[in-house]
Amino acid sequence: FYHTNGYVVIKSLFSDEECSDILSRCLAFAETNFPAILNLDRREPKLREYMKITKMVSILETLQGTEVVGTMSQILFKQAGSAYAKQAWNPHQDNAYPQNPNGRYLTTNIALSEQDKENGCLYIFNGSHKEGLYRCEPTPSYREIVGTNPGNTIAADVLERFECVDLPMNRGDVLFLHGNVVHGSYPNVSPTRSRPMMQFTYIDKGEFFVAGKNAKREAIALH
């Protein structure tokens, strides 16, 4: 399923207790408007443990067929009622940022609460990972101006060739996402329900990636 569609969701991979722990550690660093925060695992050791946890790494290395390393982390709060709640990511490819030429970059997203279209779940263009990186319109994608949408946008004539599916998830589900699959997210228009998601990114050991001005990716050993 992963190799055909470019993603797979593993249900209930993390417990309620683990989700609460991750979220509480991230909320301790949250700012007033709840913007995304990069690389908290470099300040909060327990988050690094979650990046390296065996139940994640074993799935990653099964999908990739080789040893992987971590590269970065990001917490996206989509806090209900906050300035960034209605932010909706444009259709984009995660690998447009690290630019791995072999398509070996992979993102994981841990749902820390239930998410659906109302509170800003993701949508995915099935099978769009098979053609490499598409031309895109560069767009600010970190601490962007409130009211604008992030994501290096893919042209509409590319998107219309693929089936687009919404991806609601339950708390504790984990999305394993090929770095070249095109995806975006809806705005959180719920007055009460936030959509926090913890993101860890990975790549095959020894593969090339761009560190990035904001992301500051680095090879993080998992074993």
Side-chain angles (χ1 to χ4, degrees), residues 23 26 38 51 83 97 131 135 137 152 168 172 191 196:
L23 183 56
C26 292
L38 286 167
M51 173 188 275
Y97 303 96
E131 300 177 357
R135 294 174 59 185
E137 179 182 345
N152 288 340

Side-chain angles (χ1 to χ4, degrees), residues 189-201:
V189 297
S190 170
T192 58
R193 295 191 301 133
S194 301
R195 196 228 66 180
M197 179 178 282
M198 187 74 219
Q199 181 184 89
F200 295 119
T201 65

Side-chain angles (χ1 to χ4, degrees), residues 173-184:
D173 294 352
V174 180
L175 167 65
F176 292 78
L177 186 67
H178 192 291
N180 285 358
V181 75
V182 181
H183 64 288

Side-chain angles (χ1 to χ4, degrees), residues 13 26 37 39 82 85 91 120 125 129 133 142 161 164 176 199 206:
L13 187 61
C26 292
I37 307 174
N39 296 321
S82 72
F125 292 86
H129 62 300
L133 289 175
Y142 182 67
R161 295 194 282 112
C164 182
F176 292 78
Q199 181 184 89

Side-chain angles (χ1 to χ4, degrees), residues 27-55:
L27 285 171
F29 294 87
E31 301 171 30
T32 302
N33 289 330
F34 292 92
I37 307 174
L38 286 167
N39 296 321
L40 277 184
D41 63 290
R42 300 177 193 179
R43 291 187 274 171
E44 172 52 81
K46 184 63 177 179
L47 294 177
R48 176 64 62 88
E49 291 180 24
Y50 286 116
M51 173 188 275
K52 299 170 67 172
I53 198 167
T54 300
K55 62 186 175 184

